[in-house]
C-alpha cells in the first residue's frame, strides 16, 4: 500500500514539472510592445531605410530641370553683339549723325553727315565721299526731278548702314521711276563696305535659287512671281551679279548691280525689278548676320 501511494506522488510531481515547462515555453499572444522607448536605447535615433536609387534619380532629374531652366534663362537674356559692332573687331568709333539737304535745280537730296568724331580728318573724308557718291551719279540731262531721302538702317561702332529712297523723272518718260541706293560705311577707315565684304554669298545664292530664307518687304509683290522674274533671265549668274553689289568708293562712277544694307542685324538686298514690282524689290533675309 505504501509503495502504491509513493508511486502516485512521484507521478504527480513529474506531471507538474512537465506542465510548468510547457507554460514557460509558450509565447504570450497578449504581450505587444507599444512603447518603442523600451526597445531603443536612450540617445539613439531610429534607423529609417530609404530607396537610395529612387532618391538619386529624383535628385538627378531635379538638377537636370534646374540646369535646363538656367540655360534657357541665360539664352533668353544673352544678347548677340550686332554685326555692325563686331565688324570693328574691338575698335568702335563714337559719332553722331546729322541730316544735310542738297538742293540745286531739279535735284533735291537729304543725306547723312557725321559729327563729333574724334578723328576730324576721317570725319571730313567720309562726309565728302558720301556727298560725291550721291551727286556724281545723277544724270542731269533732261532731268525733271530727282529726290532722295535717307533712313539710318544701323548705327554701329564699326559700320553705319543707310538706305536712301526716292524717285527720278525725265522728260519723255511715261512715269517717275523709284530710286534706291545704300551706303555701308566702315567707321574705322571711311570706306564703303560692299556686300561681298561681309555676306555669305553661297548661302544667299542658294536662298535666291530656292526662293527660301527671306521675305519680300514690297507691298503687292508675290514671292512666286519674283522668283520667276529672277530665274527667267534677270540673274544669269547669281554669284557674279552679287559680287557687283553696292557703291565702290574707289570707283564711284561704276554702276552697282544692286544694293545691300544691314538692318536689325539682318541682311537687306535691293534688287532691280520690273516697274510693276516697284522698280526694285526689297528682301530681308531670315538669318542673323
Amino acid at each position: 500500500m505504501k509503495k502504491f501511494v509513493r508511486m502516485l506522488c512521484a507521478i504527480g510531481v513529474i506531471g507538474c514539472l512537465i506542465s510548468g515547462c510547457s507554460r514557460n515555453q509558450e509565447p504570450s499572444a497578449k504581450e505587444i510592445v507599444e512603447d518603442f522607448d523600451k526597445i531603443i536605447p536612450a540617445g539613439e535615433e531610429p534607423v529609417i531605410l530609404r530607396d537610395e536609387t529612387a532618391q538619386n534619380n529624383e535628385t538627378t532629374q531635379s538638377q537636370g530641370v534646374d540646369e535646363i531652366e538656367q540655360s534657357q534663362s541665360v539664352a533668353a537674356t544673352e544678347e548677340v553683339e550686332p554685326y555692325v559692332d563686331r565688324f570693328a573687331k574691338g575698335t568702335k568709333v563714337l559719332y553722331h549723325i546729322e541730316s544735310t539737304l542738297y538742293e540745286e535745280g531739279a535735284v533735291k537730296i537729304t543725306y547723312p553727315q557725321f559729327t563729333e568724331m574724334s578723328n576730324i580728318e576721317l570725319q571730313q573724308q567720309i562726309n565728302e565721299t558720301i556727298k560725291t557718291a550721291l551727286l556724281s551719279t545723277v544724270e542731269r540731262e533732261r532731268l525733271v526731278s530727282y529726290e532722295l531721302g535717307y533712313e539710318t538702317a544701323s548705327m554701329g561702332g564699326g559700320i553705319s548702314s543707310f538706305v536712301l529712297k526716292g524717285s527720278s523723272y525725265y522728260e519723255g518718260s511715261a512715269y517717275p521711276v523709284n530710286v534706291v541706293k545704300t551706303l555701308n560705311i566702315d567707321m574705322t577707315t571711311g570706306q564703303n563696305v560692299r556686300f561681298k565684304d561681309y555676306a555669305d554669298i553661297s548661302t544667299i545664292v542658294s536662298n535666291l535659287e530656292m526662293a527660301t530664307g527671306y521675305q519680300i518687304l514690297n507691298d503687292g509683290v508675290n514671292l512666286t512671281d519674283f522668283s520667276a522674274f529672277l530665274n527667267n533671265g534677270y540673274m544669269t549668274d547669281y554669284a557674279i551679279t552679287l559680287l557687283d553689289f553696292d557703291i565702290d568708293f574707289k570707283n564711284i562712277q561704276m554702276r552697282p548691280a544692286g544694293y545691300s544694307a544691314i538692318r536689325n542685324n539682318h541682311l537687306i538686298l535691293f534688287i532691280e525689278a520690273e516697274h510693276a514690282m516697284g522698280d526694285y524689290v526689297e528682301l530681308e533675309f531670315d538669318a542673323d548676320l
Side-chain angles (χ1 to χ4, degrees):
M1 183 68 177
K2 290 182 180 180
K3 289 181 180 180
F4 181 74
V5 171
R6 288 176 181 172
M7 185 179 295
L8 289 176
C9 289
I11 292 171
V13 170
I14 293 170
C16 290
L17 290 173
I18 294 172
S19 176
C21 290
S22 298
R23 283 195 299 268
N24 289 339
Q25 290 176 356
E26 292 179 1
S28 176
K30 295 181 181 180
E31 189 174 352
I32 299 174
V33 178
E34 297 180 353
D35 189 353
F36 283 96
D37 291 338
K38 293 180 179 181
I39 61 175
I40 298 176
E44 296 287 339
E45 293 293 333
V47 177
I48 300 175
L49 297 179
R50 292 185 175 88
D51 186 342
E52 296 295 339
T53 302
Q55 186 180 14
N56 289 338
N57 288 339
E58 290 176 2
T59 303
T60 302
Q61 291 174 359
S62 176
Q63 290 175 344
V65 171
D66 291 342
E67 290 174 358
I68 292 173
E69 290 178 349
Q70 184 177 6
S71 176
Q72 291 175 341
S73 176
V74 170
T77 57
E78 185 178 356
E79 294 184 0
V80 177
E81 185 180 24
Y83 180 82
V84 290
D85 288 329
R86 294 197 308 257
F87 186 85
K89 299 179 181 178
T91 305
K92 297 181 180 180
V93 179
L94 301 178
Y95 57 89
H96 285 79
I97 299 172
E98 292 183 354
S99 296
T100 299
L101 174 63
Y102 174 88
E103 190 169 9
E104 182 179 351
V107 179
K108 183 178 180 180
I109 300 176
T110 303
Y111 59 95
Q113 293 281 268
F114 293 95
T115 64
E116 301 184 29
M117 290 177 60
S118 59
N119 188 334
I120 301 300
E121 183 178 349
L122 180 60
Q123 176 179 293
Q124 292 175 344
Q125 173 196 327
I126 294 175
N127 287 338
E128 188 60 33
T129 305
I130 290 175
K131 183 178 179 181
T132 302
L134 296 177
L135 296 179
S136 64
T137 56
V138 178
E139 298 179 5
R140 297 172 183 260
E141 187 177 351
R142 298 186 301 105
L143 181 63
V144 176
S145 67
Y146 185 100
E147 293 189 7
L148 276 183
Y150 78 92
E151 162 207 351
T152 303
S154 294
M155 185 177 175
I159 294 178
S160 286
S161 187
F162 303 98
V163 175
L164 297 100
K165 294 180 180 180
S167 64
S168 64
Y169 184 53
Y170 288 85
E171 292 178 3
S173 298
Y175 41 73
V177 176
N178 292 311
V179 177
V180 64
K181 298 179 183 293
T182 64
L183 295 169
N184 304 302
I185 312 296
D186 182 342
M187 300 306 300
T188 63
T189 65
Q191 294 301 310
N192 195 45
V193 180
R194 304 180 66 191
F195 174 79
K196 65 180 181 179
D197 297 326
Y198 67 91
D200 182 349
I201 292 183
S202 61
T203 298
I204 302 305
V205 168
S206 177
N207 290 151
L208 292 174
E209 289 178 339
M210 302 302 294
T212 186
Y214 66 86
Q215 58 180 317
I216 297 175
L217 302 185
N218 300 54
D219 293 333
V221 178
N222 181 274
L223 177 60
T224 302
D225 292 341
F226 174 69
S227 181
F229 164 76
L230 287 182
N231 292 311
N232 289 338
Y234 176 75
M235 283 194 178
T236 55
D237 190 319
Y238 287 91
I240 295 298
T241 303
L242 292 171
L243 286 172
D244 286 334
F245 266 45
D246 295 316
I247 296 172
D248 183 358
F249 278 6
K250 296 178 181 178
N251 187 9
I252 291 178
Q253 297 301 323
M254 184 188 75
R255 185 176 184 272
Y259 294 91
S260 72
I262 302 167
R263 184 193 293 133
N264 299 325
N265 215 41
H266 287 255
L267 170 66
I268 307 295
L269 284 188
F270 296 92
I271 297 178
E272 186 177 345
E274 300 169 341
H275 182 69
M277 292 183 180
D279 299 314
Y280 64 86
V281 176
E282 182 174 353
L283 310 180
E284 179 178 323
F285 287 81
D286 300 338
D288 282 349
L289 288 173

